[in-house]
Amino acid sequence: MTGRQTIHIVDRDARQRAGLAHQLFSLGHHAEVYETLAELLSRPPSSGLVLARDDQARSNGIRGAASILAQMAEVGVWLPLVATSLERDVDAVRAAMKAGALDFFLLPLTTGQLEEALGSVEVEAERATERQRRIVEARDALGRLSKRENEVLKFLAEGFSNKEIARELEISPRTVEIHRANMMLKLSARHPSDAVRTRFEARLDNDGAAGATLFRRGRRTPPGPSPAH
């Protein structure tokens, strides 16, 4: 990263926290360390990048990055998140990226690897806060829709006409029109494309894994099958 950054480290392992903080200080950055996410959110930061353990996060039955981001959103913290873990878990990577994490780092990293990893997300981090806010707000908006309204929106996003949606759902075209009107009202959408855009921003159909990079042993490796034990 080209400038001095504030990195918020969330990790229950004191040795991992201290090690990452030391590496970040050596790279010219400022590090804040927290044992738990609750500790970080008790005094919500307004800037920086959150580096949090994906495999330690759980709240209200939600695990991993989705839990971290949900808790951050509850208190209005829109900082970009990089999930971390000591284990290579492809499903966890996919889930983290789909939830809206900026990237996924496999620990431990050498100082050189950490510098490379942070450099790889620098440009994206500048846009991540606003994007994450839109994702959360879009999902909140979709959460206000009924099951049928969500189904109508899904087919609408796939280019189906009202008559085609009616056939798929085995209801009348008039009923589709009613659900569509209610859906657009709840989403404050003036045009169907506005509703489709909201669904797109919620990233419901994107597993996100394509953008993730695992940093390990001095090289970048795309997510792949977990190594055999």
Side-chain angles (χ1 to χ4, degrees):
M1 304 177 82
T2 57
R4 185 174 185 268
Q5 301 290 323
T6 297
I7 313 295
H8 303 277
I9 304 167
V10 182
D11 196 318
R12 291 176 186 161
D13 188 321
R15 182 174 296 180
Q16 287 289 341
R17 291 198 307 272
L20 279 170
H22 178 75
Q23 289 175 308
L24 289 166
F25 283 128
S26 73
L27 292 171
H29 303 302
H30 176 70
E32 295 285 349
V33 296
Y34 313 87
E35 183 176 0
T36 65
L37 185 64
E39 184 182 351
L40 181 150
L41 297 180
S42 66
R43 297 182 65 181
S46 59
S47 63
L49 174 72
V50 177
L51 211 64
R53 282 282 292 275
D54 178 90
D55 53 347
Q56 294 178 349
R58 182 172 183 175
S59 177
N60 297 324
I62 307 174
R63 295 178 179 272
S67 171
I68 297 169
L69 290 167
Q71 292 178 74
M72 289 170 59
E74 285 179 2
V75 296
V77 174
W78 306 106
L79 302 185
L81 167 71
V82 170
T84 65
S85 178
L86 298 178
E87 300 292 333
R88 184 187 181 100
D89 185 332
V90 177
D91 290 337
V93 175
R94 289 197 179 104
M97 300 301 287
K98 182 175 182 179
L102 189 62
D103 211 326
F104 197 107
F105 295 169
L106 185 63
L107 303 178
L109 296 173
T110 67
T111 301
Q113 290 168 350
L114 181 60
E115 182 177 27
E116 180 186 5
L118 292 175
S120 75
V121 302
E122 179 179 15
V123 175
E124 186 63 19
E126 296 175 357
R127 299 188 291 263
T129 299
E130 178 61 20
R131 185 176 67 250
Q132 181 58 33
R133 182 188 65 79
R134 291 199 305 268
I135 289 173
V136 173
E137 290 183 348
R139 290 181 179 179
D140 285 345
L142 295 182
R144 295 192 291 270
L145 302 184
S146 68
K147 178 182 177 181
R148 187 64 87 189
E149 289 163 355
N150 266 302
E151 290 173 339
V152 169
L153 177 56
K154 177 178 182 295
F155 284 117
L156 188 64
E158 293 174 0
F160 284 60
S161 67
N162 283 355
K163 290 184 178 179
E164 290 170 332
I165 295 173
R167 284 197 297 270
E168 291 291 331
L169 298 180
E170 298 182 343
I171 57 179
S172 71
R174 175 56 182 161
T175 302
V176 171
E177 291 176 3
I178 293 172
H179 287 309
R180 177 169 163 169
N182 290 337
M183 173 266 293
M184 292 182 62
L185 180 63
K186 291 179 181 179
L187 297 180
S188 300
R190 296 184 177 182
H191 190 274
S193 62
D194 297 329
V196 171
R197 186 179 302 110
T198 297
R199 191 174 193 280
F200 174 76
E201 288 181 342
R203 297 174 62 168
L204 298 179
D205 299 321
N206 179 15
D207 67 13
T213 302
L214 295 180
F215 287 80
R216 188 179 191 184
R217 296 174 185 170
R219 66 182 187 276
R220 301 182 187 182
T221 58
S226 299
H229 296 285

